[in-house]
Amino acid sequence: MIMLLPVYEPGHGLVTTVTSLRDAVPGAHLVVVDDGSGPASARVLRDVEDLGCTVLRHDANRGKGAALKTGLRHIAAEYPGRAVICADPDGQHRVEDILRVAEHVAVSGRMVLGVRRFEGRVPLRSRFGNAVTRLLFRAATGCPVVDTQTGLRGYPAGLLDWLCRVPGERFEYEMNVLLHAARSGVPIEQTVIATTYLGDNGSSHFGSLKDSVRVYRPLLRHALTPSARSRA
């Protein structure tokens, strides 16, 4: 299994995530992309290197989309023909859910989203944001994606070059992947995962207003495209 973990200013939770994955899948290859973190994260990044992770570094913060593309290009070159599982290394994705997505990709050979049901104790902004984007995405594309904002995604090897051509450098990139998949007829499969938020989602680097605009702009642009409306 090839795991891709984009990080920015990671804490010790990254070490915990890496250790858990290593214990569960001893032969897994873990690629961490540090998106311009400061000195405070240097020890954590050295620790995961010592655990056997490949750590790629950006000199400055370029955004989650840029970090994912850096990792995907590296994996396509170093591990050709291998599927990739992308996860947010903040403790919100359980190892069993990561493995469930990996197995689904291996069986289906398709893009697989680990989707949350947003049940139980979920921060209001997360519950509301997902509900809005889910409805807008379905209206724009006709695709009933349950969780458009999930960071747990599996991609077969055949999609890696395509993923690197999808526009977007920051949080809008993952929405663009779904929109371009819907437009291009790339199948999107889903599997249910646990809904987990730690400390009211305080570890997230998603900025409420600026990043929301980045996510909603391509979604609304797609919804207003005549060809997209005719397919919905």
Side-chain angles (χ1 to χ4, degrees):
M1 182 173 70
I2 313 295
M3 284 290 311
L4 173 54
L5 306 172
V7 301
Y8 176 62
E9 305 290 3
H12 190 74
L14 175 61
V15 178
T16 302
T17 297
V18 167
T19 301
S20 298
L21 286 168
R22 284 255 178 239
D23 290 344
V25 189
H29 298 281
L30 277 68
V31 177
V32 174
V33 181
D34 169 37
D35 189 30
S37 300
S41 297
R43 175 61 182 273
V44 168
L45 292 167
R46 286 198 301 270
D47 286 346
V48 296
E49 278 188 304
D50 290 342
L51 288 170
C53 292
T54 297
V55 178
L56 309 175
R57 291 176 169 85
H58 289 170
D59 292 335
N61 179 255
R62 292 166 51 191
K64 186 179 183 182
L68 287 168
K69 289 178 185 178
T70 292
L72 291 168
R73 292 187 188 102
H74 172 83
I75 291 167
E78 296 296 322
Y79 305 101
R82 302 288 293 276
V84 179
I85 310 302
C86 302
D88 295 331
D90 51 10
Q92 293 189 26
H93 296 146
R94 304 181 308 172
V95 170
E96 53 263 46
D97 289 328
I98 292 171
L99 297 180
R100 182 179 298 112
V101 170
E103 182 178 3
H104 196 144
V105 174
V107 171
S108 69
R110 294 179 171 181
M111 179 193 309
V112 177
L113 308 180
V115 298
R116 301 158 292 181
R117 292 295 188 183
F118 293 89
E119 299 169 340
R121 298 182 61 183
V122 178
L124 180 60
R125 68 169 182 168
S126 298
R127 188 186 298 274
F128 176 78
N130 185 73
V132 171
T133 53
R134 181 176 67 244
L135 291 172
L136 286 175
F137 186 84
R138 183 161 189 171
T141 66
C143 296
V145 172
V146 173
D147 182 3
T148 61
Q149 298 173 310
T150 180
L152 179 51
R153 305 180 179 207
Y155 301 113
L159 284 183
L160 299 195
D161 288 343
W162 174 83
L163 287 164
C164 291
R165 295 195 300 271
V166 173
E169 297 294 301
R170 296 190 177 273
F171 284 108
E172 77 279 6
Y173 171 73
E174 289 177 307
M175 176 60 75
N176 281 339
V177 167
L178 299 182
L179 290 170
H180 282 250
R183 178 175 291 173
S184 304
V186 174
I188 301 172
E189 299 205 359
Q190 305 173 74
T191 187
V192 176
I193 63 172
T195 304
T196 305
Y197 284 95
L198 304 177
D200 198 35
N201 207 23
S203 63
S204 174
H205 294 287
F206 188 93
S208 297
L209 181 58
K210 184 187 297 184
D211 291 321
S212 293
V213 170
R214 288 195 178 107
V215 169
Y216 286 118
R217 184 184 293 126
L219 183 54
L220 292 172
R221 184 184 300 121
H222 185 96
L224 295 173
T225 301
S227 59
R229 291 200 306 267
S230 66
R231 287 192 301 270

